[in-house]
Amino acid sequence: MHLWLQIILNGILQGGILGISALAFSLQWGVMNLINLAHGSFQILAAYVAMVLLQRLGLDPFLAMPLVFLIFLAGGYLLQFGIINRVISGNLFMTLLLTYGLDFVLANFMILLFTADYKSVNTPYANSSWHLLGFQFPIVRTLALIFLVILSLLLWLFLEYSRTGRAIRATSMGTEPARLMGLKIPKVYALTFGLSSGLAAIGGIFFGLSNAFSPAAGGPLTVGAFVVTILGGVGTSWGPLVGGLILGVLDAVGSVILGPTYVNIITFGLLLIILILRPTGVLGRAAT
Amino acid sequence: MLAIKDLSVGYGDTKVLWDINLEIAPGEIVALIGVNGAGKTTLLKTLMGLLPPWTGSIRYRGQELSRLDTHRIVKLGINLTPQGRLLFTGMSVEENLLMGAYLRRDSEVKHDLKHIYDLFPRLSERKRQRAGTLSGGEQQMCALGRSLMSRPSLLLLDEMSLGLAPIVVEMLLDLVVEIRGQGTTVLLVEQDIEEALLRADRGYVLEGGRMEMSGPSPDLLSNASLRVAYLGLA
Ligand SMILES: Nc1ncnc2c1ncn2[C@@H]1O[C@H](COP(=O)(O)OP(=O)(O)OP(=O)(O)O)[C@@H](O)[C@H]1O
Ligand SMILES: [Mg+2]
């Protein structure tokens, strides 16, 4: 009994990292109808950045987080403004192709810089846990879940109550009326992509703190974000939390039952089911 | 105030508007009449910078609009209440109205919001409700209110009456006259020639993408061929 509770707890805590990742993915999808296949590689890149900052400057990843967030925010803004905006009003296939290419470039860039070997962000606390009521709370994952709740709340407050947030929501509901209000859609999109890149970077740092990673690790992260986003609902502020917890628990329980050789089998299984059940439906814009 | 000269527009390689000429003087209500597919919406979208003109010019207070982005045109004081309303359906009524004032930085937005609620008490009762849940008439009020929140100098109204009960149409069109009285110039696009021309100073008739007729409202209203074509009266 106790063992199973611990397993479920592990799943819940794993949901934090999954959820932060999906927070970014879902925002891009919900606002811009953009399915970003480079999403996972963005996160792995952020993990490498955190690793370098730790190794070279001795900067703790949590202290580096605001800096990495801002770097990715700026980079995402420029990327969207300069490149992605050029194809985003075309069909979905074009944006898929572009982000697929981006993923390819990023992954190879990382191989060039860091080799294809597995690396990790080695902090003293990376593998330690808190203990409470006889249960084990891995520090990094517990913090990830707390961060997810806080980030979801902040994102919701921003989207709901700020002038810019309202502009982002309006644009997600229709670009033509948004333009008629005087909004500059390319700017709204660049801001959205910048913000979600920053969030993706935070997710990537948490991933790097709790897993060994290589440049090829981005793909499964993208698939995970995709599944969590569908489970929680596209373009909702709290969906990533809900979806993250569901997938986290299913994954944890599933890998115990099926054995540890089958990591990700639940995620990919769910992906398959989703694609079979709603092959076209999932590609539509979120009904906000 | 607005002068459209020899304007041609199309989609892809299909031309939809041929050599359109139209003028509006400050303080006028000008009606633009035409059946389905005549090109009325296309003309309004071109005015708002949503479609690029092929040839011709659009001058507003002496400034050329035809190459400007939509947000610049909105900033100049032109606002469109689009056909089909295009509300932000997932947002509350109040948020929709505030979106209309998005470019405004002045302190009177709150005051104007109250003014809209005075005009449309129904919207006031439903201000927290999602716009998508409103009735057709209420949605049209919300769309009109949203445009008014931008304090437009020139208001373009695209088929406000579409699908609405006659009593709501009357109320909205009467309100247009009131709005003009407060200094806003109006281009009123309608299919109901009589309702529109009864309120407008002048009218234009668009047929198959060409401006076929124009003149003071009373002249158009008594024009025999128009009466046959639009009212089925001999
Ligand atoms: N996005 C588009 N792509 C291609 N053709 C279009 C498009 N929108 C409109 N058209 C065509 O342009 C012509 C004019 O359409 P428009 O919508 O301007 O007419 P309208 O006068 O506003 O009609 P309605 O009263 O039905 O709104 C029509 O023949 C229509 O089929
Ligand atoms: Mg029309």
Side-chain angles (χ1 to χ4, degrees):
Chain A
M1 187 59 200
H2 184 269
L3 177 67
W4 279 104
L5 285 178
Q6 179 68 53
I7 289 165
I8 289 170
L9 177 65
N10 287 348
I12 289 173
L13 295 177
Q14 182 65 23
I17 294 177
L18 287 167
I20 297 176
S21 164
L23 208 54
F25 191 78
S26 171
L27 184 64
Q28 295 168 351
W29 190 352
V31 174
M32 302 183 284
N33 211 17
L34 170 74
I35 294 180
N36 179 11
L37 294 180
H39 173 66
S41 288
F42 269 75
Q43 297 193 76
I44 298 302
L45 183 65
Y48 278 116
V49 172
M51 182 189 81
V52 170
L53 289 174
L54 179 65
Q55 287 175 352
R56 296 287 158 87
L57 304 176
L59 195 59
D60 183 90
F62 282 97
L63 293 177
M65 216 173 251
L67 178 67
V68 181
F69 175 83
L70 287 177
I71 293 172
F72 274 72
L73 183 115
Y77 186 98
L78 293 175
L79 188 67
Q80 176 79 33
F81 207 77
I83 298 174
I84 305 177
N85 271 340
R86 289 174 200 279
V87 301
I88 198 148
S89 51
N91 59 24
L92 192 65
F93 180 70
M94 282 299 291
T95 58
L96 282 175
L97 203 63
L98 179 70
T99 57
Y100 179 77
L102 201 60
D103 185 62
F104 187 78
V105 170
L106 267 179
N108 281 285
F109 172 72
M110 290 189 285
I111 290 176
L112 209 67
L113 284 184
F114 306 107
T115 76
D117 298 339
Y118 273 86
K119 300 274 167 63
S120 57
V121 186
N122 278 318
T123 56
Y125 50 81
N127 293 312
S128 20
S129 298
W130 287 312
H131 296 270
L132 193 71
L133 304 171
F135 291 103
Q136 222 183 337
F137 291 77
I139 290 182
V140 172
R141 283 165 209 230
T142 307
L143 285 174
L145 187 59
I146 294 170
F147 265 65
L148 172 59
V149 173
I150 294 171
L151 289 174
S152 299
L153 181 66
L154 289 178
L155 183 65
W156 180 75
L157 287 173
F158 169 71
L159 290 175
E160 208 66 20
Y161 294 108
S162 74
R163 181 179 128 95
T164 310
R166 193 181 288 139
I168 290 175
R169 274 191 302 138
T171 305
S172 79
M173 294 173 205
T175 49
E176 186 163 308
R179 289 176 72 186
L180 288 172
M181 303 299 110
L183 297 185
K184 298 173 204 162
I185 306 302
K187 271 200 154 168
V188 174
Y189 277 2
L191 213 68
T192 305
F193 197 83
L195 183 62
S196 51
S197 299
L199 290 170
I202 293 179
I205 293 175
F206 273 110
F207 182 79
L209 278 169
S210 53
N211 299 270
F213 54 91
S214 78
L221 284 183
T222 304
V223 173
F226 183 88
V227 171
V228 169
T229 299
I230 300 272
L231 288 176
V234 181
T236 61
S237 294
W238 298 100
L241 178 61
V242 175
L245 294 179
I246 295 175
L247 182 61
V249 171
L250 287 180
D251 243 350
V253 173
S255 67
V256 169
I257 295 174
L258 299 167
T261 18
Y262 298 101
V263 208
N264 286 334
I265 193 166
I266 299 283
T267 309
F268 282 94
L270 280 172
L271 174 68
L272 218 62
I273 292 171
I274 288 164
L275 291 179
I276 291 167
L277 287 184
R278 356 180 357 198
T280 51
V282 293
L283 300 184
R285 188 184 283 278
T288 344
Chain B
M1 186 175 204
L2 184 80
I4 302 175
K5 261 211 163 70
D6 302 324
L7 184 75
S8 304
V9 194
Y11 301 91
D13 46 17
T14 325
K15 203 168 184 177
V16 167
L17 291 178
W18 278 266
D19 304 319
I20 300 297
N21 287 284
L22 181 149
E23 282 190 30
I24 306 176
E28 271 190 309
I29 297 179
V30 172
L32 176 63
I33 314 292
V35 296
N36 290 117
K40 308 177 297 292
T41 298
T42 303
L43 181 59
L44 295 189
K45 283 190 177 178
T46 311
L47 286 178
M48 293 309 299
L50 294 171
L51 283 172
W54 289 10
T55 60
S57 78
I58 304 166
R59 293 188 83 77
Y60 174 73
R61 290 175 163 161
Q63 184 174 358
E64 182 62 41
L65 294 189
S66 54
R67 296 280 169 254
L68 289 188
D69 283 333
T70 304
H71 67 93
R72 302 286 307 276
I73 293 170
V74 175
K75 215 167 211 163
L76 288 173
I78 307 182
N79 204 282
L80 168 66
T81 308
Q83 182 171 350
R85 311 183 274 254
L86 304 187
L87 291 177
F88 303 111
T89 49
M91 286 184 168
S92 69
V93 169
E94 181 146 316
E95 285 181 311
N96 269 275
L97 296 174
L98 288 173
M99 278 310 297
Y102 186 79
L103 289 182
R104 287 177 54 186
R105 294 290 198 174
D106 57 287
S107 55
E108 286 178 37
V109 172
K110 278 257 155 61
H111 169 269
D112 286 7
L113 195 61
K114 197 179 160 297
H115 176 63
I116 300 294
Y117 288 145
D118 289 342
L119 282 180
F120 305 110
R122 298 262 281 279
L123 293 185
S124 177
E125 291 160 25
R126 290 164 175 73
K127 60 172 101 166
R128 305 262 166 262
Q129 201 170 313
R130 277 162 37 118
T133 64
L134 297 177
S135 75
E138 290 160 355
Q139 289 199 11
Q140 192 61 62
M141 294 173 201
C142 187
L144 179 57
R146 187 177 66 174
S147 282
L148 293 176
M149 284 299 290
S150 73
R151 287 200 174 176
S153 311
L154 174 60
L155 180 58
L156 315 175
L157 300 169
D158 197 354
E159 298 207 36
M160 284 205 304
S161 57
L162 207 68
L164 301 185
I167 184 163
V168 182
V169 175
E170 292 283 322
M171 176 257 188
L172 286 171
L173 290 178
D174 287 344
L175 189 64
V176 168
V177 177
E178 206 174 297
I179 291 165
R180 183 266 297 273
Q182 289 158 8
T184 301
T185 308
V186 179
L187 178 59
L188 182 65
V189 170
E190 283 293 334
Q191 290 202 34
D192 189 329
I193 176 169
E194 196 154 31
E195 289 291 356
L197 287 176
L198 281 174
R199 272 103 178 168
D201 303 302
R202 294 186 299 117
Y204 287 83
V205 180
L206 195 58
E207 268 177 43
R210 294 169 207 272
M211 212 56 103
E212 290 295 342
M213 221 179 282
S214 68
S217 298
D219 295 5
L220 290 177
L221 269 174
S222 59
N223 183 296
S225 61
L226 270 185
R227 293 181 71 83
V228 174
Y230 285 87
L231 298 173
L233 304 173

